[in-house]
Amino acid sequence: MGNQNLPWVAPLSLTRPPQAQLARAVVMVRPVDFAFNEQTGADNVFQHRLNLPPAAVTAQAMAEFDAMVQRLQQYGLQVMVLEKSPDGIATPDAVFPNNWFSTSADGSLHIYPMHTPNRRQERRVEELARLLLGHGYQINQISWVGHPWEEELILEGTGVMIFDHARRRVYAARSQRCHPLALYRYARLRGLEDVQLFDTADSHGVPIYHSNVMMSVGQDIAVICADSLYQPEQRQQVLATLESTHEVIRISHQQVEQHFCGNILQLAAQDGTPLLAMSQRAWEGFTPAQRRVLERHGQPVVNPIPTIEAVGGGSCRCMLAEIFLPRVEH
């Protein structure tokens, strides 16, 4: 684990602009085509079929989405909504945009290789760029991580990479959606100094498909299911690294698998107030003592999204693509 045996991962430059840990703006994608995704269901054990007509599932997801957008805006977060593309292509998982793009304070827009064909169709780069530019953000470069049709060196964005921006560090769980070579290449591109790559298993021994369902790293608080790191030396190293910089909440397999307690995100309102976005299921899954710790680090913004969680296999964090781009100077 780490990059000590991979000298070619050395940072390209240390002159990059500082990157805040907490984004004050996000992009969300309206779930017009929301449905059970047959292609991703192969390795996402969090997905479930509901005994409802497809139209009812989509309608419920749309209502949950709209309520979440409104709630986040009420707490002072800037939310930009990417609407349905006119091309008519169905993208059942489009509500989870953090997997296909991320942004950097140097003005970079990063586009990632996706594991399944129908998720690759979510990457509407031109439409996203227009949305961001229209809201006054500056894009200096658009960087493809690998090529657009990559099928092996997969790296699904902040679904698999959990960043500690202040320390130029990334945590990542190895899986079909996180190829180590793609991870280290990206780390070098970004000038990251520490790659914490580890192996995971859920309560049934299956690798966890996305790191962000079992851990979250904020500015001063971290949540992790340490039990999912089944190799003791990896677990010890990751915990020691986290605990040296953050107050750490340890959650159980049950809290991950039944409540999505790891799939939360610390953000900031426009006035800088820390926020903690999570689902109602996650909030109710934390113990009272854990909730008190969370409240010390931000205002909980709790969102009921049961349909999106059950059918999509992801929760609040997956729905939020953080925007760190600089604003256009006038």
Side-chain angles (χ1 to χ4, degrees), residues 130-178:
R130 290 193 197 100
L131 177 70
L132 293 169
L133 292 170
H135 281 82
Y137 288 96
Q138 181 177 328
I139 300 175
N140 296 326
Q141 65 174 339
I142 297 175
S143 172
W144 282 86
V145 181
H147 64 74
W149 307 281
E150 177 64 68
E151 295 183 352
E152 295 183 9
L153 301 181
I154 304 301
L155 190 70
E156 292 196 341
T158 55
V160 299
M161 294 184 290
I162 313 297
F163 292 105
D164 182 344
H165 294 296
R167 296 162 188 89
R168 299 183 185 274
R169 177 177 294 141
V170 61
Y171 299 88
R174 190 192 318 264
S175 72
Q176 292 187 80
R177 308 193 191 196
C178 181

Side-chain angles (χ1 to χ4, degrees), residues 28-200:
M28 298 178 66
V29 178
R30 196 176 302 281
V32 176
D33 303 318
F34 185 78
F36 184 91
N37 189 340
E38 301 285 350
Q39 294 182 17
T40 59
D43 68 334
N44 182 348
V45 298
F46 294 83
Q47 290 178 226
H48 303 283
R49 300 178 189 275
L50 298 183
N51 189 23
L52 289 172
V57 170
T58 304
Q60 289 180 189
M62 292 276 280
E64 293 169 7
F65 175 90
D66 289 339
M68 180 170 161
V69 169
Q70 184 177 21
R71 188 173 295 105
L72 290 167
Q73 291 173 332
Q74 288 173 344
Y75 278 94
L77 184 73
Q78 183 184 18
V79 180
M80 294 164 278
V81 176
L82 185 61
E83 300 291 351
K84 168 67 178 176
S85 174
D87 61 17
I89 297 174
T91 50
D93 275 343
V95 74
F96 305 131
N98 76 306
N99 301 143
W100 68 265
F101 82 90
S102 69
T103 61
S104 301
D106 64 359
S108 297
L109 174 60
H110 307 275
I111 312 299
Y112 296 99
M114 305 292 286
H115 181 49
T116 61
N118 66 7
R119 294 223 63 189
R120 294 170 199 150
Q121 294 173 326
E122 297 173 24
R123 299 176 299 190
R124 295 152 49 199
V125 180
E126 290 187 15
E127 293 170 61
L128 173 63
R130 290 193 197 100
L131 177 70
L132 293 169
L133 292 170
H135 281 82
Y137 288 96
Q138 181 177 328
I139 300 175
N140 296 326
Q141 65 174 339
I142 297 175
S143 172
W144 282 86
V145 181
H147 64 74
W149 307 281
E150 177 64 68
E151 295 183 352
E152 295 183 9
L153 301 181
I154 304 301
L155 190 70
E156 292 196 341
T158 55
V160 299
M161 294 184 290
I162 313 297
F163 292 105
D164 182 344
H165 294 296
R167 296 162 188 89
R168 299 183 185 274
R169 177 177 294 141
V170 61
Y171 299 88
R174 190 192 318 264
S175 72
Q176 292 187 80
R177 308 193 191 196
C178 181
H179 193 290
L181 181 55
L183 172 67
Y184 282 111
R185 284 179 175 174
Y186 180 75
R188 183 172 184 271
L189 171 71
R190 285 286 308 277
L192 300 178
E193 298 178 356
D194 185 17
V195 178
Q196 299 271 327
L197 177 64
F198 48 86
D199 300 286
T200 62

